[in-house]
PDB file of all heavy atoms in Angstrom:
ATOM      1  N   MET A 185     -69.593 140.128  52.861  1.00 43.00           N
ATOM      2  CA  MET A 185     -69.938 139.494  51.634  1.00 43.00           C
ATOM      3  C   MET A 185     -70.461 138.114  52.003  1.00 43.00           C
ATOM      4  O   MET A 185     -69.973 137.384  52.800  1.00 43.00           O
ATOM      5  CB  MET A 185     -68.703 139.382  50.812  1.00 43.00           C
ATOM      6  CG  MET A 185     -69.040 138.679  49.473  1.00 43.00           C
ATOM      7  SD  MET A 185     -67.546 138.632  48.420  1.00 43.00           S
ATOM      8  CE  MET A 185     -67.148 140.306  48.219  1.00 43.00           C
ATOM      9  N   SER A 186     -71.585 137.800  51.348  1.00 43.00           N
ATOM     10  CA  SER A 186     -72.237 136.547  51.629  1.00 43.00           C
ATOM     11  C   SER A 186     -71.504 135.324  50.974  1.00 43.00           C
ATOM     12  O   SER A 186     -70.757 135.513  50.025  1.00 43.00           O
ATOM     13  CB  SER A 186     -73.631 136.508  50.964  1.00 43.00           C
ATOM     14  OG  SER A 186     -73.654 136.635  49.695  1.00 43.00           O
ATOM     15  N   ILE A 195     -61.770 148.132  40.490  1.00 41.00           N
ATOM     16  CA  ILE A 195     -60.600 148.755  40.074  1.00 41.00           C
ATOM     17  C   ILE A 195     -60.933 149.930  39.300  1.00 41.00           C
ATOM     18  O   ILE A 195     -62.061 150.049  38.786  1.00 41.00           O
ATOM     19  CB  ILE A 195     -59.707 147.773  39.220  1.00 41.00           C
ATOM     20  CG1 ILE A 195     -60.563 147.191  38.070  1.00 41.00           C
ATOM     21  CG2 ILE A 195     -59.246 146.607  40.052  1.00 41.00           C
ATOM     22  CD1 ILE A 195     -59.724 146.333  37.169  1.00 41.00           C
ATOM     23  N   ARG A 198     -62.961 157.110  39.606  1.00 39.00           N
ATOM     24  CA  ARG A 198     -64.029 158.021  39.075  1.00 39.00           C
ATOM     25  C   ARG A 198     -63.181 159.224  38.527  1.00 39.00           C
ATOM     26  O   ARG A 198     -62.469 159.876  39.175  1.00 39.00           O
ATOM     27  CB  ARG A 198     -64.908 158.469  40.186  1.00 39.00           C
ATOM     28  CG  ARG A 198     -65.998 159.272  39.635  1.00 39.00           C
ATOM     29  CD  ARG A 198     -66.985 159.589  40.712  1.00 39.00           C
ATOM     30  NE  ARG A 198     -67.912 160.549  40.043  1.00 39.00           N
ATOM     31  CZ  ARG A 198     -69.083 160.914  40.616  1.00 39.00           C
ATOM     32  NH1 ARG A 198     -69.393 160.347  41.749  1.00 39.00           N
ATOM     33  NH2 ARG A 198     -69.863 161.650  40.016  1.00 39.00           N
ATOM     34  N   ARG A 199     -63.578 159.569  37.278  1.00 40.00           N
ATOM     35  CA  ARG A 199     -63.022 160.730  36.666  1.00 40.00           C
ATOM     36  C   ARG A 199     -64.073 161.834  36.951  1.00 40.00           C
ATOM     37  O   ARG A 199     -65.255 161.553  36.944  1.00 40.00           O
ATOM     38  CB  ARG A 199     -62.829 160.511  35.178  1.00 40.00           C
ATOM     39  CG  ARG A 199     -61.779 159.622  34.846  1.00 40.00           C
ATOM     40  CD  ARG A 199     -61.429 159.423  33.431  1.00 40.00           C
ATOM     41  NE  ARG A 199     -61.382 160.782  32.791  1.00 40.00           N
ATOM     42  CZ  ARG A 199     -61.494 160.937  31.474  1.00 40.00           C
ATOM     43  NH1 ARG A 199     -61.697 159.925  30.733  1.00 40.00           N
ATOM     44  NH2 ARG A 199     -61.487 162.144  30.901  1.00 40.00           N
ATOM     45  N   PRO A 203     -69.337 159.783  34.850  1.00 38.00           N
ATOM     46  CA  PRO A 203     -69.931 159.015  36.014  1.00 38.00           C
ATOM     47  C   PRO A 203     -68.945 157.969  36.386  1.00 38.00           C
ATOM     48  O   PRO A 203     -67.980 157.502  35.610  1.00 38.00           O
ATOM     49  CB  PRO A 203     -71.163 158.438  35.415  1.00 38.00           C
ATOM     50  CG  PRO A 203     -71.042 158.447  33.988  1.00 38.00           C
ATOM     51  CD  PRO A 203     -70.090 159.640  33.732  1.00 38.00           C
ATOM     52  N   THR A 210     -63.821 139.615  38.450  1.00 41.00           N
ATOM     53  CA  THR A 210     -64.521 138.341  38.737  1.00 41.00           C
ATOM     54  C   THR A 210     -63.952 137.314  37.689  1.00 41.00           C
ATOM     55  O   THR A 210     -63.128 137.634  36.854  1.00 41.00           O
ATOM     56  CB  THR A 210     -66.019 138.420  38.668  1.00 41.00           C
ATOM     57  OG1 THR A 210     -66.345 138.921  37.289  1.00 41.00           O
ATOM     58  CG2 THR A 210     -66.586 139.485  39.572  1.00 41.00           C
ATOM     59  N   VAL A 223     -77.147 134.708  23.965  1.00 51.00           N
ATOM     60  CA  VAL A 223     -77.290 135.271  22.674  1.00 51.00           C
ATOM     61  C   VAL A 223     -76.874 134.452  21.460  1.00 51.00           C
ATOM     62  O   VAL A 223     -76.980 134.789  20.369  1.00 51.00           O
ATOM     63  CB  VAL A 223     -76.559 136.603  22.593  1.00 51.00           C
ATOM     64  CG1 VAL A 223     -77.094 137.595  23.531  1.00 51.00           C
ATOM     65  CG2 VAL A 223     -75.003 136.360  22.741  1.00 51.00           C
ATOM     66  N   PHE A 232     -69.315 142.979  22.558  1.00 86.00           N
ATOM     67  CA  PHE A 232     -68.783 144.316  22.966  1.00 86.00           C
ATOM     68  C   PHE A 232     -67.696 144.088  23.852  1.00 86.00           C
ATOM     69  O   PHE A 232     -67.797 143.413  24.869  1.00 86.00           O
ATOM     70  CB  PHE A 232     -69.880 145.188  23.537  1.00 86.00           C
ATOM     71  CG  PHE A 232     -70.979 145.527  22.566  1.00 86.00           C
ATOM     72  CD1 PHE A 232     -72.098 144.678  22.395  1.00 86.00           C
ATOM     73  CD2 PHE A 232     -70.905 146.712  21.783  1.00 86.00           C
ATOM     74  CE1 PHE A 232     -73.141 145.126  21.499  1.00 86.00           C
ATOM     75  CE2 PHE A 232     -71.853 147.030  20.926  1.00 86.00           C
ATOM     76  CZ  PHE A 232     -72.995 146.246  20.754  1.00 86.00           C
ATOM     77  N   LEU A 233     -66.531 144.678  23.515  1.00 89.00           N
ATOM     78  CA  LEU A 233     -65.367 144.565  24.375  1.00 89.00           C
ATOM     79  C   LEU A 233     -64.883 145.995  24.806  1.00 89.00           C
ATOM     80  O   LEU A 233     -64.492 146.759  23.846  1.00 89.00           O
ATOM     81  CB  LEU A 233     -64.367 143.807  23.724  1.00 89.00           C
ATOM     82  CG  LEU A 233     -62.995 143.566  24.391  1.00 89.00           C
ATOM     83  CD1 LEU A 233     -63.196 142.862  25.753  1.00 89.00           C
ATOM     84  CD2 LEU A 233     -62.019 142.781  23.565  1.00 89.00           C
ATOM     85  N   HIS A 235     -62.433 148.878  26.140  1.00 91.00           N
ATOM     86  CA  HIS A 235     -60.986 148.875  26.168  1.00 91.00           C
ATOM     87  C   HIS A 235     -60.390 148.508  27.584  1.00 91.00           C
ATOM     88  O   HIS A 235     -61.131 148.678  28.562  1.00 91.00           O
ATOM     89  CB  HIS A 235     -60.529 150.256  25.745  1.00 91.00           C
ATOM     90  CG  HIS A 235     -60.823 151.429  26.668  1.00 91.00           C
ATOM     91  ND1 HIS A 235     -60.297 151.629  27.917  1.00 91.00           N
ATOM     92  CD2 HIS A 235     -61.789 152.400  26.624  1.00 91.00           C
ATOM     93  CE1 HIS A 235     -60.703 152.599  28.491  1.00 91.00           C
ATOM     94  NE2 HIS A 235     -61.715 153.149  27.743  1.00 91.00           N
ATOM     95  N   ASP A 247     -53.142 164.605  25.194  1.00 91.00           N
ATOM     96  CA  ASP A 247     -54.534 164.418  24.805  1.00 91.00           C
ATOM     97  C   ASP A 247     -55.126 163.178  25.363  1.00 91.00           C
ATOM     98  O   ASP A 247     -54.541 162.121  25.256  1.00 91.00           O
ATOM     99  CB  ASP A 247     -54.645 164.543  23.270  1.00 91.00           C
ATOM    100  CG  ASP A 247     -56.101 164.660  22.735  1.00 91.00           C
ATOM    101  OD1 ASP A 247     -56.971 164.825  23.630  1.00 91.00           O
ATOM    102  OD2 ASP A 247     -56.237 164.604  21.589  1.00 91.00           O
ATOM    103  N   PRO A 252     -52.546 155.472  26.313  1.00 95.00           N
ATOM    104  CA  PRO A 252     -52.449 154.126  25.988  1.00 95.00           C
ATOM    105  C   PRO A 252     -52.875 153.090  27.067  1.00 95.00           C
ATOM    106  O   PRO A 252     -53.141 153.587  28.200  1.00 95.00           O
ATOM    107  CB  PRO A 252     -50.902 153.952  25.774  1.00 95.00           C
ATOM    108  CG  PRO A 252     -50.411 154.960  26.740  1.00 95.00           C
ATOM    109  CD  PRO A 252     -51.416 156.083  26.811  1.00 95.00           C
ATOM    110  N   ILE A 258     -53.086 145.694  29.163  1.00 96.00           N
ATOM    111  CA  ILE A 258     -52.737 144.713  28.123  1.00 96.00           C
ATOM    112  C   ILE A 258     -52.897 143.263  28.636  1.00 96.00           C
ATOM    113  O   ILE A 258     -53.514 142.396  27.910  1.00 96.00           O
ATOM    114  CB  ILE A 258     -51.363 144.987  27.630  1.00 96.00           C
ATOM    115  CG1 ILE A 258     -51.230 146.401  26.867  1.00 96.00           C
ATOM    116  CG2 ILE A 258     -50.877 143.806  26.687  1.00 96.00           C
ATOM    117  CD1 ILE A 258     -49.929 146.777  26.550  1.00 96.00           C
ATOM    118  N   ALA A 259     -52.397 143.050  29.784  1.00 95.00           N
ATOM    119  CA  ALA A 259     -52.447 141.616  30.256  1.00 95.00           C
ATOM    120  C   ALA A 259     -54.029 141.218  30.535  1.00 95.00           C
ATOM    121  O   ALA A 259     -54.305 140.025  30.122  1.00 95.00           O
ATOM    122  CB  ALA A 259     -51.710 141.549  31.666  1.00 95.00           C
ATOM    123  N   ALA A 286     -58.615 152.183  22.787  1.00 95.00           N
ATOM    124  CA  ALA A 286     -59.538 151.268  22.061  1.00 95.00           C
ATOM    125  C   ALA A 286     -58.975 150.559  20.873  1.00 95.00           C
ATOM    126  O   ALA A 286     -59.205 149.317  20.619  1.00 95.00           O
ATOM    127  CB  ALA A 286     -60.748 152.037  21.663  1.00 95.00           C
ATOM    128  N   ALA A 290     -58.638 146.504  20.307  1.00 95.00           N
ATOM    129  CA  ALA A 290     -58.989 145.828  19.164  1.00 95.00           C
ATOM    130  C   ALA A 290     -57.936 144.975  18.512  1.00 95.00           C
ATOM    131  O   ALA A 290     -58.213 143.947  18.007  1.00 95.00           O
ATOM    132  CB  ALA A 290     -59.695 146.833  18.232  1.00 95.00           C
ATOM    133  N   ILE A 292     -55.360 143.686  19.963  1.00 96.00           N
ATOM    134  CA  ILE A 292     -55.089 142.487  20.837  1.00 96.00           C
ATOM    135  C   ILE A 292     -56.164 141.495  20.599  1.00 96.00           C
ATOM    136  O   ILE A 292     -55.955 140.321  20.504  1.00 96.00           O
ATOM    137  CB  ILE A 292     -55.100 142.877  22.322  1.00 96.00           C
ATOM    138  CG1 ILE A 292     -53.782 143.767  22.603  1.00 96.00           C
ATOM    139  CG2 ILE A 292     -55.104 141.701  23.269  1.00 96.00           C
ATOM    140  CD1 ILE A 292     -53.858 144.346  23.945  1.00 96.00           C
ATOM    141  N   ALA A 293     -57.487 141.810  20.450  1.00 95.00           N
ATOM    142  CA  ALA A 293     -58.608 141.042  20.195  1.00 95.00           C
ATOM    143  C   ALA A 293     -58.329 140.308  18.716  1.00 95.00           C
ATOM    144  O   ALA A 293     -58.577 139.118  18.618  1.00 95.00           O
ATOM    145  CB  ALA A 293     -59.848 141.790  20.247  1.00 95.00           C
ATOM    146  N   LYS A 295     -55.606 139.736  17.096  1.00 95.00           N
ATOM    147  CA  LYS A 295     -54.561 138.795  17.101  1.00 95.00           C
ATOM    148  C   LYS A 295     -54.951 137.572  17.864  1.00 95.00           C
ATOM    149  O   LYS A 295     -54.722 136.436  17.450  1.00 95.00           O
ATOM    150  CB  LYS A 295     -53.255 139.379  17.607  1.00 95.00           C
ATOM    151  CG  LYS A 295     -52.706 140.338  16.647  1.00 95.00           C
ATOM    152  CD  LYS A 295     -51.503 141.104  17.236  1.00 95.00           C
ATOM    153  CE  LYS A 295     -50.904 142.130  16.364  1.00 95.00           C
ATOM    154  NZ  LYS A 295     -49.877 142.960  17.086  1.00 95.00           N
ATOM    155  N   LEU A 297     -57.948 136.319  18.694  1.00 93.00           N
ATOM    156  CA  LEU A 297     -58.989 135.599  18.218  1.00 93.00           C
ATOM    157  C   LEU A 297     -58.696 135.060  16.786  1.00 93.00           C
ATOM    158  O   LEU A 297     -59.605 134.454  16.147  1.00 93.00           O
ATOM    159  CB  LEU A 297     -60.269 136.479  18.146  1.00 93.00           C
ATOM    160  CG  LEU A 297     -60.766 136.930  19.465  1.00 93.00           C
ATOM    161  CD1 LEU A 297     -61.924 137.931  19.327  1.00 93.00           C
ATOM    162  CD2 LEU A 297     -61.250 135.804  20.447  1.00 93.00           C
ATOM    163  N   LYS A 302     -59.607 143.132   9.533  1.00 90.00           N
ATOM    164  CA  LYS A 302     -58.777 144.231  10.049  1.00 90.00           C
ATOM    165  C   LYS A 302     -59.580 145.076  10.980  1.00 90.00           C
ATOM    166  O   LYS A 302     -60.818 145.014  10.917  1.00 90.00           O
ATOM    167  CB  LYS A 302     -58.335 145.048   8.893  1.00 90.00           C
ATOM    168  CG  LYS A 302     -57.368 144.338   7.909  1.00 90.00           C
ATOM    169  CD  LYS A 302     -56.680 145.291   6.928  1.00 90.00           C
ATOM    170  CE  LYS A 302     -55.694 144.482   6.148  1.00 90.00           C
ATOM    171  NZ  LYS A 302     -54.907 145.311   5.303  1.00 90.00           N
ATOM    172  N   GLU A 310     -66.641 157.413  18.620  1.00 91.00           N
ATOM    173  CA  GLU A 310     -66.056 158.465  19.516  1.00 91.00           C
ATOM    174  C   GLU A 310     -66.883 158.630  20.693  1.00 91.00           C
ATOM    175  O   GLU A 310     -68.084 158.570  20.706  1.00 91.00           O
ATOM    176  CB  GLU A 310     -65.883 159.731  18.784  1.00 91.00           C
ATOM    177  CG  GLU A 310     -64.724 159.779  17.805  1.00 91.00           C
ATOM    178  CD  GLU A 310     -64.580 161.254  17.121  1.00 91.00           C
ATOM    179  OE1 GLU A 310     -65.483 162.070  17.309  1.00 91.00           O
ATOM    180  OE2 GLU A 310     -63.507 161.326  16.591  1.00 91.00           O
ATOM    181  N   ASP A 316     -77.157 157.957  17.347  1.00 87.00           N
ATOM    182  CA  ASP A 316     -77.931 157.964  16.081  1.00 87.00           C
ATOM    183  C   ASP A 316     -76.951 157.886  14.868  1.00 87.00           C
ATOM    184  O   ASP A 316     -77.258 157.195  13.900  1.00 87.00           O
ATOM    185  CB  ASP A 316     -78.713 159.258  15.913  1.00 87.00           C
ATOM    186  CG  ASP A 316     -79.796 159.334  16.961  1.00 87.00           C
ATOM    187  OD1 ASP A 316     -80.287 158.335  17.418  1.00 87.00           O
ATOM    188  OD2 ASP A 316     -80.168 160.486  17.378  1.00 87.00           O
TER     189      ASP A 316
END
Side-chain angles (χ1 to χ4, degrees):
M185 181 175 303
S186 65
I195 57 175
R198 181 177 178 167
R199 290 185 46 198
T210 59
V223 297
F232 293 92
L233 179 61
H235 66 74
D247 185 10
I258 292 169
I292 293 169
K295 290 175 185 172
L297 296 174
K302 292 187 177 191
E310 283 183 346
D316 295 335

